[in-house]
Amino acid sequence: MTTVVKASAPAKVNLVFEVGAIQADGYHPVNSLYLALNLREELTLVSGEVGSGISIYVHGDTLPERHIEAVPTDESNLVFKVVAALASHHGLATPDLQIDIHKRIPVAGGMAGGSSDAAAMLVALNEFFYQELGITKLTLAELAQLGAGLGSDIPFCLYGGLALGTNRGEQIQELPSLEFESNWLLCISNQGLSTPLVYQKFDELDLLHDFSDLAAMKITSAQELAGLMANDLEPATLALMPALSDLKAKLEELGALKAMVSGSGPTVAALFESSERCVEVAKLLNSHGIFALTSTGDSAGARLEG
Ligand code: ATP
């Protein structure tokens, strides 16, 4: 009998992204306020024929084709690594699987697209092993621990909602959801930007400050949220890609409460009070050949779909 399991997981934006001094291991500690967006990857797992191995099929009709083409379908895809890690955790051989990824999150846009696929895969495979082999399911915390070994954003994509991420972003403290729906426009650059280069520039600029107590922040409206949005990497990203400053200014001129580089960029996330205006501005940008999409927050973490 064929086993089919479906799961979905959200994209993220960093509402606040604070970065500490580089450590001996080469990493920068972060203090990140994460928000999950209703831009969800959908993943379907189907048991494959014995000996067929793992095949990955990626598709999507809301992203430019170059995003779909940029996703690897071999062992370097994060979902492949999830299969290997969870199978090995249970002492199992890698199962034969067909994996279908419906992609909605822009690739290499700093919105955790690959991590979201990995989170959906952890939840789906956890269920798959239970259905096929009767293996007791891992808890969310156990899945998050396994995911943290594969990518710093994977635990947040498992939890979703609003959360604080510390260390490399993988240590998650869940926070109460915002009491309002936030409207987001995500402006995705055609040009890539190397994350290590952004961190190098950040080190050069010497912008270190103490971390804030993000868990204690009270956010009751979109205006308040706009007032506290901050990204320590933004000056570094803008120094490397000065055109993004104009884009930020333009978005605020067009009605955004706040436009900010998302993570290391080059995506710019803009918060709007009105969902209608948010969609209007996205259409306007699209008509000028700029790739922009809209979404809302927050959204649930990775979950099984019927
Ligand atoms: P983050 O926000 O977590 O830093 P990102 O959203 O900027 O990540 P991704 O879309 O996750 O970036 O992709 C970064 C690279 O990871 C891609 O260029 C691709 O080569 C590789 N990759 C591996 N698995 C996946 C996947 N399932 N989906 C997208 N990219 C993947």
Side-chain angles (χ1 to χ4, degrees):
M1 217 184 64
T2 309
T3 304
V4 180
V5 182
K6 288 177 194 277
S8 71
K12 61 93 183 167
V13 282
N14 302 89
L15 303 176
V16 180
F17 196 61
E18 297 184 331
V19 180
I22 190 165
Q23 305 293 293
D25 61 3
Y27 279 87
H28 295 76
V30 303
N31 190 38
S32 161
L33 189 61
Y34 281 116
L35 180 75
L37 298 183
N38 286 302
L39 185 65
R40 299 182 71 89
E41 302 280 77
E42 276 171 9
L43 190 139
T44 308
L45 269 190
V46 182
S47 51
E49 283 181 25
V50 177
S52 61
I54 293 178
S55 53
I56 300 174
Y57 173 61
V58 185
H59 62 102
D61 47 17
T62 52
L63 294 173
E65 196 50 34
R66 66 185 164 79
H67 285 256
I68 306 297
E69 286 165 1
V71 180
T73 52
D74 60 8
E75 314 80 62
S76 64
N77 193 304
L78 269 177
V79 301
F80 196 105
K81 295 183 183 173
V82 166
V83 181
L86 192 54
S88 135
H89 174 89
H90 290 305
L92 299 168
T94 308
D96 300 304
L97 289 172
Q98 288 170 35
I99 303 165
D100 175 287
I101 302 174
H102 185 154
K103 242 196 181 313
R104 293 203 180 84
I105 305 176
V107 176
M111 297 177 69
S115 303
S116 174
D117 294 340
M121 188 66 195
L122 278 164
V123 166
L125 193 59
N126 202 27
E127 174 70 19
F128 182 88
F129 283 149
Y130 170 70
Q131 284 189 21
E132 283 251 306
L133 306 166
I135 290 177
T136 305
K137 289 208 243 176
L138 297 189
T139 62
L140 189 58
E142 288 167 334
L143 291 178
Q145 202 182 352
L146 203 71
L150 300 172
S152 304
D153 287 336
I154 297 174
F156 175 67
C157 292
L158 281 162
Y159 285 101
L162 180 73
L164 180 66
T166 52
N167 196 33
R168 292 180 191 177
E170 85 290 4
Q171 281 177 12
I172 297 297
Q173 178 188 343
E174 290 182 278
L175 298 174
S177 281
L178 298 178
E179 284 156 20
F180 57 94
E181 190 174 69
S182 51
N183 303 299
W184 295 93
L185 181 153
L186 292 319
C187 202
I188 292 83
S189 172
N190 287 331
Q191 237 181 302
L193 189 57
S194 147
T195 302
L197 209 63
V198 173
Y199 275 93
Q200 196 186 319
K201 192 77 194 169
F202 171 80
D203 292 336
E204 279 167 32
L205 293 175
D206 195 13
L207 300 166
L208 294 174
H209 63 92
D210 289 340
F211 282 171
S212 317
D213 184 2
L214 299 179
M217 280 184 174
K218 293 272 169 287
I219 313 168
T220 59
S221 67
Q223 283 89 347
E224 265 178 26
L225 173 53
L228 67 80
M229 281 166 64
N231 177 5
D232 285 355
L233 290 182
E234 190 175 77
T237 303
L238 296 180
L240 294 167
M241 251 193 182
L244 292 183
S245 299
D246 299 338
L247 177 62
K248 265 167 47 88
K250 191 80 206 154
L251 286 165
E252 288 178 0
E253 219 174 274
L254 289 168
L257 293 172
K258 170 97 180 174
M260 189 176 84
V261 169
S262 177
S264 63
T267 297
V268 172
L271 175 67
F272 282 77
E273 173 96 76
S274 136
S275 58
E276 289 80 13
R277 185 63 189 151
C278 188
V279 171
E280 255 171 46
V281 174
K283 283 188 183 149
L284 182 73
L285 294 177
N286 290 336
S287 73
H288 285 82
I290 299 169
F291 176 35
L293 38 84
T294 59
S295 189
T296 55
D298 59 5
S299 187
R303 64 175 179 213
L304 293 173
E305 297 289 346

